[in-house]
Amino acid sequence: FRLVSLLGTEQMLGRLAPAIQRADEDYADDGSRCVAFGGSRADLSAATGFKHSALSVLGIALRPPSAVPLSPWLAALAAAAGMRRPTLLLLDGVIKPENVGSLFRSALAFGVAGVVLSPGCADPLYRKAIRASMGAVFKLPYTFAPHWPEALSQVKAGGYGLLALHLQGSVEHTAALGANGGLAPSAAAPAAAGPPPLRGVPLAVVVGAEYEGVGEAAAQLADERVRIAMAPAMEVDSLHGVDSLNVNVAAAIVLERIFAFNRAEPADE
């Protein structure tokens, strides 16, 4: 993201001065600069039409392309810092900005290398998504895949094992991933039985919108449809019951298990 201008309280712009100076240095090649406008809280409120706090800052930045060809994007994607292999999170029709933002936050926490969004997903840079992500949308690489679910075939062709979270999953996620998170055996995680498609390859986790879940067309392309074991109280009958978790909670449970076994082993001292 290339910062163009900022509007903030003088107090907050003072705190951001080192970052603004670094931005100007980064942009020195083409002569552009980040322009900062400062004032009191009353000045900002009058200029924008809504109440500001002492920490308020508004910014304008140039947005990088959000839809790039998927195959080269995948090829250029590196594992997140401290991870042995790249992990992907794929969003299938997640339309609520709050859920998109929360998914980015969990993805960043559990070492996901990048996020792929299907058509119909909420924009990660929507205000509510940014807020729910706590800024994770600015740290994680992501791209939109206009051709869906064909994009999933490209992900598989890129060497990823595809795991779809599905209420009618044929296997629990712990069994699908095995005792070592679906990864190749290591000294810290000895080999264990697990479905062959999820052994020894980087993993891509597909999640869908609440209520609808992962679409059938996408689910058919998965190497495994998995479910998360839940207490009997979650079983649905004709009068009551809750059949699923929030999409972010479900994704976090699976991503954390992959993360636990995907962490790079510490170097020998």
Side-chain angles (χ1 to χ4, degrees):
F1 296 90
R2 189 182 183 95
L3 196 58
V4 176
S5 63
L6 292 173
L7 171 66
T9 60
E10 293 174 347
Q11 174 187 351
M12 195 61 191
L13 290 178
R15 292 171 59 179
L16 292 174
I20 297 172
Q21 182 176 355
R22 286 196 301 272
D24 283 343
E25 292 170 355
D26 291 341
Y27 306 157
D29 290 345
D30 62 9
S32 61
R33 302 189 65 184
C34 172
V35 181
F37 301 92
S40 67
R41 291 173 58 185
D43 292 334
L44 266 63
S45 298
T48 61
F50 60 90
K51 186 176 180 180
H52 283 258
S53 74
L55 301 180
S56 291
V57 176
L58 296 176
I60 297 176
L62 298 179
R63 178 176 183 157
S66 56
V68 298
L70 185 58
S71 293
W73 185 85
L74 289 171
L77 199 64
M83 298 294 104
R84 294 165 55 199
R85 292 195 175 108
T87 301
L88 286 178
L89 179 63
L90 284 68
L91 310 189
D92 183 12
V94 180
I95 60 175
K96 292 185 178 180
E98 299 92 331
N99 285 339
V100 169
S102 296
L103 285 163
F104 268 77
R105 185 177 181 181
S106 294
L108 184 68
F110 295 126
V112 167
V115 180
V116 180
L117 300 97
S118 78
C121 282
D123 189 338
L125 297 186
Y126 183 70
R127 175 176 54 86
K128 290 183 178 179
I130 293 173
R131 180 186 300 169
S133 80
M134 295 297 289
V137 295
F138 299 119
K139 297 181 178 181
L140 266 179
Y142 68 88
T143 188
F144 285 91
H147 305 293
W148 193 272
E150 294 82 1
L152 302 183
S153 297
Q154 291 180 265
V155 171
K156 294 174 70 173
Y160 288 84
L162 201 59
L163 184 154
L165 273 61
H166 204 282
L167 284 174
Q168 282 74 50
S170 58
V171 63
E172 292 183 11
H173 77 287
T174 51
L177 293 172
N180 64 343
L183 300 169
S186 68
L198 300 183
R199 293 287 301 280
V201 295
L203 297 178
V205 178
V206 190
V207 299
E210 292 183 39
Y211 307 113
E212 291 85 2
V214 174
E216 186 59 27
Q220 287 182 357
L221 292 171
D223 294 307
E224 286 287 351
R225 302 188 193 194
V226 302
R227 66 184 186 277
I228 296 171
M230 295 183 286
M234 293 288 284
E235 294 178 1
V236 175
D237 58 29
S238 59
L239 296 178
H240 58 276
V242 182
D243 65 351
S244 65
L245 298 167
N246 168 273
V247 62
N248 178 54
V249 173
I253 289 171
V254 175
L255 292 174
E256 189 281 333
R257 185 167 183 86
I258 297 171
F259 167 78
F261 295 99
N262 194 23
R263 297 169 72 179
E265 297 173 19
D268 295 334
E269 297 182 357

